[in-house]
Each structure stands twice: as structure tokens, then as C-alpha cells.
Amino acid sequence: MGFELREVDPATDFPAIARSMFESYEDPPQPFFHAFFPIHGDTHDAREEAIAECATQNPFAEEHHMEVTWLPDDGSRRFAEQVLEIHSAPRVRLGQRPQVYLFIVFTHPDYRRKGIGQKFMDWGIAKADEMGVELFLDASPVGRPLYDANGLVEVDKNDIIPRTNDPDDAWKAMEKKTGHSTWFLMWRPAGGNYEEGKTVKPWEKD
């Protein structure tokens, strides 16, 4: 059976998308996920509550600055705030032009190796070409092979290691649960034509 991309209806599709996202980032386990979508507890019910909360929150419903409102106002929130700040820093520095940014790309474990991830990439690349702009995404080590195969170029390696001089118990617990992570800012120039050693990246121009 073939697969096709369809536009999401937040009113009806988010519960299934939320569950799929949790199951995707749990196989293989990617602990950084808990900084963005925490599970408050170790029980099945706690996980179900986290999925339900995720399903009711559409972060793209309106334009706004990202604020860490999903964690208590303690060290766990300070930790997650640093994760977000460090995570976005390379693109803030290098991506100062109109662009397509592919955000939170995942495939449910039951549907991997069926070309679904490639469909997302085809859509994103076509959209960037249609708009005549660059394409960026932040790749985890797990997802990077797909982006390498599509000709995206690593332009920054980003080690996310939040720091504080006075961590409270909540900070320590969050750090233990999520650990530190490494990301790669991947880039495709407008039009997709790139030659290593010859193509001048926009941020390298005088």
C-alpha cells in the first residue's frame, strides 16, 4: 500500500500524532525528548497523561516566542530553557534569511523503512525550491542518515550541555533523565546546488 502526505487537522489528528511521536522517540530511546515533552512520573498512567497533554497543546496555533510552560517553575524549567536556547543558537546565528525549517521529523517504528521519511524530505525540499529559499533542520544522530542521503550539509555541531552554579534537586533530576545530547545543524542552499570547497555559504560572505 502506498502512503501519501496530508495536511493535519489539529482538532482530530493531534491525539494520534502525539502518541506516535512518543512511541517514535522511545524506540530507540532518545532521552532529550523529555526536556520538551516530560512524563511526570514512572507509571503507565503518567505516560498516558503526558501524551494526552501533548495532544491538547498546539504550539503552532499562533505566533509567539517559545516559553517553557510545561514544567514547574523550578530547576527543571531552568534546565529545559537552556536546552531550548542552546538548541536554537546555531540556526539563530546562521539562518538570518528566509528559509524552510523542518521541525520534529519522526516516523513511527511500525512504519520505518517504507519511504515515509523520504516523503517528508521530498515535501520540504520541494517547498524550499518553490519559495526559492534555503532549508535548515536540526538533526539528531538517529535521524541524520536520512538528511545526509538527501544532500544536506552539516554546518554546525551542537553539544547541548546546560550549566548552572547552583543546581537544585529538580535540575539534577531533569539532567539525569534527559542527559546531554548532540545535534547537527543541517543546511541545503537555495536551489540545492552545493559543491564542497566551492560553494560560499551565505553567512561566510563579507
Side-chain angles (χ1 to χ4, degrees):
M1 181 181 69
F3 297 96
E4 63 182 55
L5 296 183
R6 297 182 181 177
E7 188 170 346
V8 167
D9 181 348
T12 59
D13 295 337
F14 267 30
I17 290 173
R19 184 169 299 280
S20 178
M21 182 172 66
F22 271 73
E23 292 176 357
S24 296
Y25 283 98
E26 291 168 348
D27 183 8
Q30 299 183 69
F32 69 82
F33 180 73
H34 295 289
F36 302 101
F37 300 97
I39 300 175
H40 301 291
D42 299 319
T43 66
H44 173 77
D45 287 346
R47 179 177 178 274
E48 289 298 307
E49 290 174 3
I51 294 173
E53 180 180 1
C54 175
T56 61
Q57 303 296 320
N58 179 1
F60 310 108
E62 57 185 72
E63 185 176 350
H64 64 285
H65 296 290
M66 180 67 77
E67 296 179 4
V68 180
T69 58
W70 54 88
L71 288 166
D73 190 9
D74 56 22
S76 64
R77 181 179 292 189
R78 305 290 90 76
F79 184 92
E81 287 172 342
Q82 283 201 32
V83 169
L84 280 174
E85 182 178 0
I86 298 169
H87 181 269
S88 62
R91 190 166 61 92
V92 170
R93 186 177 73 253
L94 303 181
Q96 291 294 317
R97 296 156 306 284
Q99 63 187 255
V100 165
Y101 179 62
L102 299 185
F103 183 50
I104 310 184
V105 179
F106 62 89
T107 304
H108 189 277
D110 291 348
Y111 293 92
R112 290 174 183 159
R113 300 295 180 182
K114 298 180 185 295
I116 294 175
Q118 186 59 52
K119 281 186 175 293
F120 282 117
M121 292 306 301
D122 291 344
W123 178 88
I125 290 171
K127 180 61 67 175
D129 287 346
E130 174 189 326
M131 298 173 65
V133 299
E134 303 163 66
L135 183 149
F136 283 92
L137 61 82
D138 289 286
S140 68
V142 172
R144 177 168 176 171
L146 174 64
Y147 314 133
D148 286 334
N150 279 273
L152 275 72
V153 179
E154 177 193 332
V155 293
D156 193 278
K157 181 181 179 183
N158 188 11
D159 293 316
I160 299 183
I161 307 175
R163 302 182 189 278
T164 182
N165 292 326
D166 187 25
D168 62 11
D169 289 343
W171 174 291
K172 294 175 182 177
M174 178 61 75
E175 185 169 34
K176 181 178 180 180
K177 189 168 188 177
T178 67
H180 302 151
S181 59
T182 297
W183 294 79
F184 305 93
L185 182 63
M186 309 296 290
W187 171 76
R188 179 181 183 270
N193 297 317
Y194 179 82
E195 292 186 60
E196 184 66 38
K198 295 184 179 181
T199 300
V200 178
K201 302 176 180 69
W203 54 88
E204 295 175 338
K205 297 178 181 179
D206 295 332

